[in-house]
Amino acid sequence: MTIANKLARAELVDMVPYQSARRLFASGDSSNKTNSTANKKVWLNANEAPGNGDYQVISENINRYPDFQPDNLLNAYSNYCGLERSQILATRGADEGIELIIRTFCRAYQDSILICPPTYGMYAISAENHGASTVKVQLKNNTLDLESMKQHVGKVKVVFLCSPGNPTGNLLPKEQIIQAIELFKDTAIVVVDEAYIEFSPEQTSISLLSQYENVIVLRTLSKAFALAGLRCGFTLASSDIITLLSKIIAPYPISAPVAEIASIALSADLEKMTQRVQDCNTTKAALTTWLNEQSWCSEVFASDANFVLFRCKDNNEKTRIFDLLVSKNILIRDQSKQLQLDNCLRISIGSEQEITQLKEVLS
Ligand SMILES: *Cc1c(COP(=O)(O)O)cnc(C)c1O
């Protein structure tokens, strides 16, 4: 055994890290480089938005540490979401928010989180990294199984809900979110992960923050704002919760260039985001209709996000479709290993042209 493996926390040695889209297919050729050659890949596997932004960065104060929470960024997000600055924490992506929440509320090797699979993979991975255990209560018809969740009241510290869900795509009914929050009112924090909420903004749970003390809402600029490469997300909660999270986050989590670009995206460029969302919803509707007509497709999941999940007739068809696309340099995401998602694949809504390309390969 190497000295590294001997000294490491034993459980880390065999742990499998999050299989991100970029780890599964390392992007030697970055999709966005328009000048790259023939085997340029079409990335439809990570729910990124198509198209590049156009930002100028001023490097004036780059010799200085940034503010802990840069003013320009916090003001821009406060204006965007309508909450006070004291209720907002900017983080390195929503993923860092997930990690901070678990580290803040779960004692290692004692406490647990609750997740509702099929769901986003990072909740369980972050919990495992920290030594917290994960309780699973599966979704029932893509909605919460509140009866089963009830049995875990008092036994978990954090409950992760994802609405719109990834990889399922649909919003959870608002009444169910409220019921879950009430159920865990005195015993657990309920996190509503709204990574995709810009695709149906009127469904946000933000208003619940003023009614319940045990709620956290997670947001990101990685999806509708087309800034996955920036690594910028937001944790929204009571100022008490934000104060706690602020104690364990790194001292300078948001670099000055990130704050600059993100502030522009959230203010001057805000309309670009809403236009992008509209275009995405149009392309998504057309793709959904098309998928429903294909003989190899047995089910298309309703989507309130920027991707579509569908089920293939059987495992052979799933493998055939996936491999055929890979052979044409089109990458989508295999979700078939998730609970309930046998033979399911997920397509991110890229540009209209990218989706046309995908349809042509599969026709
Ligand atoms: C993409 C995604 C995140 C992570 O977003 P980042 O801000 O890029 O870290 C969190 N939750 C869900 C459900 C996601 O799909």
Side-chain angles (χ1 to χ4, degrees):
M1 202 192 279
T2 64
I3 184 75
N5 282 352
K6 201 170 91 184
L7 294 176
R9 288 161 53 201
E11 65 275 23
L12 281 191
V13 176
D14 293 320
M15 194 191 137
V16 182
Y18 182 64
Q19 299 298 299
S20 70
R22 283 294 178 276
R23 268 186 174 160
L24 291 170
F25 293 96
S27 63
D29 72 329
S30 171
S31 60
N32 292 329
K33 285 181 192 143
T34 40
N35 59 352
S36 68
T37 46
N39 62 355
K40 175 183 149 199
K41 287 193 169 52
V42 176
W43 297 95
L44 301 177
N45 60 350
N47 300 342
E48 298 150 342
N52 275 319
D54 185 8
Y55 300 98
Q56 302 290 317
V57 176
I58 308 156
S59 50
E60 232 164 56
N61 279 321
I62 210 78
N63 57 319
R64 305 288 172 201
Y65 284 111
D67 285 337
F68 166 62
Q69 291 284 287
D71 270 337
N72 53 352
L73 180 60
L74 269 273
N75 290 338
Y77 208 79
S78 171
N79 280 335
Y80 170 68
C81 74
L83 294 173
E84 300 290 327
R85 282 184 52 161
S86 62
Q87 295 179 279
I88 303 171
L89 184 71
T91 59
R92 288 164 290 196
D95 281 347
E96 185 177 38
I98 294 167
E99 189 194 315
L100 294 174
I101 292 164
I102 292 172
R103 286 170 57 206
T104 299
F105 293 101
C106 294
R107 293 165 302 169
Y109 309 108
Q110 295 184 60
D111 292 332
S112 308
I113 66 162
L114 187 151
I115 64 171
C116 303
T119 192
Y120 184 53
M122 278 307 291
Y123 313 137
I125 300 258
S126 278
E128 190 182 2
N129 278 341
H130 179 62
S133 29
T134 298
V135 171
K136 295 177 183 173
V137 175
Q138 290 189 47
L139 295 175
K140 235 181 180 170
N141 299 320
N142 301 325
T143 61
L144 298 177
D145 179 354
L146 287 155
E147 273 311 304
S148 304
M149 288 171 76
K150 206 179 258 176
Q151 330 217 311
H152 300 281
V153 171
K155 299 178 192 153
V156 299
K157 284 293 206 56
V158 184
V159 176
F160 283 96
L161 309 181
C162 193
S163 180
N166 177 10
T168 41
N170 63 296
L171 286 153
L172 294 171
K174 193 64 166 285
E175 322 81 72
Q176 280 206 327
I177 294 177
I178 295 170
Q179 283 167 5
I181 292 167
E182 297 230 342
L183 201 54
F184 290 95
K185 211 164 167 284
D186 301 316
T187 57
I189 299 290
V190 176
V191 179
V192 187
D193 185 339
E194 295 192 344
Y196 301 95
I197 200 66
E198 279 79 12
F199 298 91
S200 38
E202 65 293 344
Q203 296 293 325
T204 179
S205 289
I206 276 197
S207 66
L208 301 177
L209 290 171
S210 60
Q211 296 165 49
Y212 300 96
E213 291 176 351
N214 64 325
V215 185
I216 298 181
V217 173
L218 288 174
R219 296 286 190 82
T220 179
L221 300 187
S222 297
K223 310 290 162 55
F225 284 92
L227 290 172
L230 199 62
R231 309 307 302 128
C232 187
F234 300 89
T235 302
L236 314 176
S238 69
S239 54
D240 282 356
I241 291 177
I242 299 298
T243 302
L244 287 167
L245 300 176
S246 301
K247 292 184 184 187
I248 59 167
I249 196 171
Y252 309 107
I254 305 293
S255 78
V258 166
E260 251 184 83
I261 293 174
S263 316
I264 296 168
L266 285 161
S267 47
D269 278 7
L270 199 53
E271 264 179 36
K272 291 187 186 164
M273 184 277 284
T274 47
Q275 185 59 52
R276 186 181 302 116
V277 164
Q278 273 185 29
D279 294 346
C280 168
N281 285 341
T282 307
T283 309
K284 178 175 69 185
L287 177 65
T288 301
T289 306
W290 183 84
L291 282 168
N292 271 313
E293 291 162 353
Q294 306 309 306
S295 59
W296 38 261
C297 177
S298 63
E299 180 184 3
V300 185
F301 289 62
S303 170
D304 302 296
N306 67 342
F307 56 85
V308 176
L309 182 72
F310 65 97
R311 199 185 300 274
C312 298
K313 286 251 153 79
D314 54 42
N315 184 56
N316 286 343
E317 283 291 44
K318 184 216 78 183
T319 308
R320 183 182 70 81
I321 301 283
F322 188 84
D323 291 348
L324 177 59
L325 289 169
V326 171
S327 75
K328 302 287 180 189
N329 282 315
I330 300 176
L331 306 177
I332 63 171
R333 187 94 193 216
D334 188 341
Q335 294 288 354
S336 62
K337 293 209 172 65
Q338 287 240 32
L339 287 167
Q340 303 179 6
L341 300 188
D342 293 346
N343 310 325
C344 285
L345 298 171
R346 190 191 70 191
I347 302 174
S348 307
I349 304 300
S351 66
E352 206 185 338
Q353 184 222 330
E354 288 170 329
I355 297 297
T356 303
Q357 216 175 316
L358 172 139
K359 289 187 204 166
E360 280 168 9
V361 169
L362 295 180
S363 287

